[in-house]
C-alpha cells in the first residue's frame, strides 16, 4: 500500500500547493473533496492500511511536506485516524 | 482495488480534462507523469490488479469517459496492458 499512498500523496500535494495561476483554488478544492469521498468509500481495513502507509512514507518527505503527509489520514477523514493503528 | 482505481481515475480525468483557465496544461502534464511514474513503481501484480480494476470500473462511466477509463492502463504504461489479463 505504501507505493499507492505515495502516488496519492503526490497528487494531493499538487492539488493543495499549486498556486492560483496554475490551478484554480475552487477546482482544486472540488478535486480534493472528490478524492476524499472516493477514499472514504474504501472498506475500513483498506482505509486503515492507507492511513498507516501515509504515516510510514512521511519520513521520505522533508520539512512541511513531511508533516503534511503525516496528517493526510486526518485531512482526508480516513478510518484509523484516532491513533489506534499508529506504528508506535 | 476497484475503489482505489476509481479514486485515481477521477483524479486523472480532472488533470486531463480541466480547461487551461482552470489548470495549466504543462502543470497537468507534469502531475500525470509523476502519477504514471509512481504507479509504475508498484509491484507487477499490483499493476495488473489496478489495470484490471480500471477495465472493470469503466462500465460505471458514460461515453468518452468510459473509453478513457478503459484505456488508462495503456495511458499510464501499467503492466498487464497487452491483453493477457483482460476479463474476456
Amino acid at each position: 500500500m505504501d507505493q499507492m499512498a505515495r502516488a496519492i500523496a503526490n497528487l494531493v500535494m499538487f492539488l493543495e500547493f499549486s498556486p492560483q495561476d496554475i490551478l484554480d483554488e475552487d477546482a482544486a478544492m472540488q478535486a480534493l473533496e472528490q478524492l476524499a469521498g472516493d477514499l472514504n468509500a474504501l472498506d475500513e481495513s483498506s482505509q486503515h492500511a492507507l492511513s498507516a502507509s501515509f504515516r510510514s512514507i512521511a519520513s521520505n518527505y522533508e520539512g512541511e511536506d513531511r508533516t503534511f503527509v503525516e496528517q493526510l489520514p486526518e485531512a482526508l477523514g480516513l478510518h484509523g485516524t484516532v491513533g489506534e493503528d499508529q506504528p508506535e
Side-chain angles (χ1 to χ4, degrees), chain A residues 26-49:
Chain A
D26 291 339
M29 181 74 75
Q30 284 176 26
L32 285 167
E33 285 173 0
Q34 166 89 57
L35 174 64
D38 285 341
L39 296 179
N40 276 273
L42 289 167
D43 62 68
E44 194 166 337
S45 69
S46 296
Q47 290 187 49
H48 277 265

Side-chain angles (χ1 to χ4, degrees), chain A residues 7-41:
Chain A
I8 292 171
N10 289 333
L11 284 170
V12 171
M13 285 194 286
F14 172 78
L15 294 172
E16 190 81 25
F17 297 139
S18 292
Q20 170 74 27
D21 61 329
I22 293 291
L23 172 59
D24 178 77
E25 196 175 319
D26 291 339
M29 181 74 75
Q30 284 176 26
L32 285 167
E33 285 173 0
Q34 166 89 57
L35 174 64
D38 285 341
L39 296 179
N40 276 273

